[in-house]
Amino acid sequence: MPEGEPVDIAGDGLTTKERRLLPALIVNTGEGKGKTTAAMGLALRAWHQGWSIGVFQFIKSGKWVTGERAALEALGAEHERSGTGGEVEWYATGAGRRWVRKPGAEPGHAHAAREAWAEVASRLAVQRHQLYVLDELTYPLIWGWLDVGEVVATLRDRPGLQHVVVTGRAAPAELVEIATTVTEMTKRKHPFDTGQKGQAGVEW
Ligand code: ATP
Ligand code: MG
């Protein structure tokens, strides 16, 4: 073999470089804390790569602006100003309303989740972003607001090199099946269990 020729160890016909550029579908699930914060950490890495980032919140935070939103939008503004890093687009569903985490709590929530998903699907089709953060997507899936088969097929068949990270508890098996990386956050301890309230900078 000529020197420097890539070795096809995985037997998939791809070079090491090609294999490094495979689209990732990362699922952060489980009961423990850290699913959303890990996804936002990934977005920081993506920003540094100059990637276009789309963040979609499927369950609106009770807080008007979370730290991750403020920080990533500031980074997006920096990109606009100086060209450093990547662009950041933040899509929050049900803007201005407080979300209640209960199935059927408000029909508008299901509608907003479907609108958000339609936006993601149309962007995936035209390869709008290089990283999609689909925060709390598992809830509209397990509550039946979105069709699991349709969402899974759209993610599986997405064109090009578009990375996706999905967060939320109880990720459906079909989603886990097509993911490239699945991390289950296991709760060992959480201060809420002893009655502590959420705190700024830690929870939002
Ligand atoms: P974070 O946004 O801090 O990364 P997360 O995305 O893993 O947390 P979610 O299920 O989205 O967790 O819930 C978000 C909120 O619920 C946060 O305030 C978080 O601290 C809290 N939380 C996370 N895990 C637990 C748990 N096991 N018990 C109680 N509260 C939790
Ligand atoms: Mg979360």
Side-chain angles (χ1 to χ4, degrees):
M1 185 196 314
E3 212 176 315
E5 190 77 5
V7 187
D8 182 17
I9 296 168
D12 55 11
L14 300 174
T15 64
T16 305
K17 190 175 173 206
E18 283 165 346
R19 205 173 296 114
R20 263 197 208 126
L21 293 175
L22 291 179
L25 174 52
I26 300 170
V27 175
N28 295 343
T29 192
E31 296 289 316
K33 177 173 163 60
K35 298 175 288 294
T36 296
T37 42
M40 298 304 169
L42 198 75
L44 294 180
R45 291 182 173 170
W47 182 83
H48 176 66
Q49 292 300 317
W51 293 0
S52 169
I53 301 159
V55 182
F56 300 80
Q57 284 183 298
F58 282 86
I59 301 290
K60 192 180 182 295
S61 157
K63 299 289 162 194
W64 272 101
V65 178
T66 58
E68 56 268 34
R69 181 172 184 175
L72 278 164
E73 285 188 338
L75 288 173
E78 177 61 22
H79 172 75
E80 302 264 296
R81 194 185 67 77
S82 67
T84 314
E87 70 159 349
V88 178
E89 285 204 11
W90 197 287
Y91 186 104
T93 56
R97 283 180 305 186
R98 193 188 167 91
W99 283 73
V100 180
R101 293 182 171 216
K102 225 165 66 183
E106 197 194 297
H109 292 180
H111 177 74
R114 281 195 285 270
E115 270 185 358
W117 170 252
E119 186 64 32
V120 170
S122 70
R123 288 177 185 223
L124 284 168
V126 299
Q127 304 187 46
R128 177 70 183 74
H129 302 291
Q130 278 166 290
L131 176 69
Y132 297 75
V133 179
L134 308 183
D135 191 35
E136 322 292 354
L137 174 64
T138 60
Y139 302 104
L141 290 175
I142 59 184
W143 293 340
W145 295 351
L146 296 175
D147 184 76
V148 176
E150 190 213 310
V151 168
V152 165
T154 302
L155 291 174
R156 185 195 58 215
D157 301 337
R158 70 194 187 282
L161 184 59
Q162 304 183 88
H163 304 291
V164 177
V165 56
V166 173
T167 82
R169 297 174 189 203
E174 300 93 314
L175 179 64
V176 167
E177 176 72 32
I178 62 155
T180 57
T181 306
V182 180
T183 300
E184 176 101 15
M185 306 290 181
T186 307
K187 186 186 75 161
R188 299 279 291 268
K189 271 186 168 187
H190 196 288
F192 288 9
D193 293 346
T194 52
Q196 194 177 314
K197 296 268 188 281
Q199 31 182 332
V202 178
E203 262 79 43
W204 66 85

